[in-house]
Amino acid sequence: MTTPFMSGQAGASESTLSNPGFERGDLSGWSTTGTAFNRSVTNQPGWGWGCCFNQQGTYHLWGFAGGGDAPTGTVTSEPFTLTGTGMVSALVSGGRNDDQLYVALTTLDGTVLHKATGTDDEAYRRVTWDAREHLGEQLRITGVDRATGGWGHINLDDVRVGLDEAPDPGLEGLAAYWDFAEGQGTATTERISRSADPISYVFNNAVYKPNSDPLWRTKRQEDGVLSGALLFDGYSTWVTRAASQIRLPTDGMTVEAWVAPRAFEWGDEGKPSAVVNQQDKAERRGFSLGVGRHGVWQFGIGTGDAWYETAARFVDAG
């Protein structure tokens, strides 16, 4: 499946920051407020009741280590000049809260340019920001923890400045694009931000059987776009991306997905099974693209004051 929204790897030691991956074993090069990040630099590979962080190198910043979920505060890097490719990336994990819990790329006065929250998971994923319009400027990385309840912590590691590849020029105009080209594994990379999004699967953490990865079709050239495709139904398998991580246009957009459906839902209560879902129909906001009863495709979008839908019957070109 390919799902677009229209509209180089390198080690932390190469970064312009003096302690980008906390490999000094402390917070040198970083300043803090509050207590959330006190004593949070750790070399622990797992969190005691689970495993693994998959940090880069030995040390990383585990927001829970210094005092659990209750403390609040910030951790901010020394200034750095954005050079190289103009891309900035970091490993981020921890709690999910767009407003109270996040890692941000900011200007020197604290203006947030990009930010990412966790996914209620301790395992790191890479978040990549396109900051090319700020090449030559001085910027900072800031971790913010204002959350105090369950999952009230954020984790950070391996900040890279100007090292990751810029987006493919052929993808210009896209707000987000998943091609599911991995063919295996529990994460898929969104090609615009180059951030790895976790694939939620019912048997990632199985109860009555051994853990197993999501289901992928075998890669075979003769299968064309189906080769290596991820098999998912939105119930046992799905991919989630926080809305705050995608900048959508305000004047218009296109949502597109390549799908090979195996079965259709009954369309209970007239609701389609969403393939791309960013809707809050009750609040008349967001959008969704999905398939309803007997293969009727439906697209819905909210303007804030109304919810609009259009439908088209599935046509088998074979």
Side-chain angles (χ1 to χ4, degrees), residues 20-313:
F22 309 100
E23 289 304 298
R24 295 183 179 180
D26 57 29
L27 283 171
S28 58
W30 298 77
S31 60
T32 63
T33 65
T35 60
F37 299 98
N38 293 353
R39 304 181 306 280
S40 289
V41 176
T42 180
N43 61 0
Q44 292 296 317
W47 46 94
W49 60 95
C51 184
C52 296
F53 287 108
N54 299 319
Q55 71 263 34
Q56 175 71 31
T58 302
Y59 291 94
H60 61 109
L61 186 69
W62 180 23
F64 187 85
D69 288 325
T72 60
T74 65
V75 59
T76 303
S77 75
E78 61 200 347
F80 60 85
T81 301
L82 182 58
T83 57
T85 64
M87 309 297 289
V88 179
S89 74
L91 296 178
V92 178
S93 65
R96 184 201 304 264
N97 189 322
D98 291 325
D99 298 322
Q100 305 296 323
L101 201 63
Y102 56 86
V103 173
L105 176 66
T106 76
T107 61
L108 294 189
D109 66 4
T111 300
V112 173
L113 304 177
H114 301 279
K115 69 177 182 178
T117 188
T119 61
D120 286 350
D121 191 340
E122 303 286 18
Y124 284 111
R125 78 190 197 285
R126 182 158 296 280
V127 173
T128 307
W129 297 307
D130 185 348
R132 286 176 291 175
E133 61 185 291
H134 300 282
L135 275 167
E137 298 179 21
Q138 285 204 307
L139 305 174
R140 296 181 190 268
I141 297 290
T142 297
V144 175
D145 180 353
R146 302 192 190 100
T148 58
W151 281 107
H153 66 278
I154 195 82
N155 312 326
L156 176 64
D157 191 27
D158 193 33
V159 177
R160 298 175 178 171
V161 177
L163 300 175
D164 295 274
E165 293 182 21
D168 184 334
L171 301 179
E172 291 291 337
L174 297 182
Y177 173 58
W178 292 264
D179 61 7
F180 299 98
E182 292 80 10
Q184 62 181 353
T186 59
T188 184
T189 298
E190 192 275 301
R191 300 300 170 181
I192 306 303
S193 68
R194 296 186 179 274
S195 298
D197 293 318
I199 300 172
S200 298
Y201 179 52
V202 66
F203 295 128
N204 281 349
N205 297 291
V207 177
Y208 300 110
K209 64 177 290 295
N211 292 346
S212 57
D213 285 354
L215 301 177
W216 299 78
R217 284 180 62 102
T218 301
K219 285 194 173 184
R220 302 192 312 171
Q221 185 174 0
E222 59 268 30
D223 285 344
V225 295
L226 293 178
S227 176
L230 175 65
L231 304 180
F232 66 94
D233 56 17
Y235 299 98
S236 66
T237 312
W238 68 94
V239 177
T240 304
R241 164 64 67 90
S244 62
Q245 292 181 241
I246 300 177
R247 292 186 175 183
L248 293 177
T250 58
D251 56 348
M253 67 176 186
T254 298
V255 181
E256 177 182 302
W258 285 75
V259 183
R262 292 185 168 188
F264 302 128
E265 282 295 317
W266 284 100
D268 290 344
E269 300 179 1
K271 297 178 180 178
S273 296
V275 176
V276 181
N277 187 7
Q278 189 53 253
Q279 66 172 319
D280 187 341
K281 190 173 181 179
E283 296 294 327
R284 299 180 291 278
R285 298 184 305 174
F287 57 90
S288 70
L289 174 65
V291 60
R293 192 172 189 180
H294 304 311
V296 175
W297 285 93
Q298 292 181 231
F299 177 73
I301 189 166
T303 60
D305 57 356
W307 179 262
Y308 300 94
E309 289 184 346
T310 185
R313 186 168 300 278

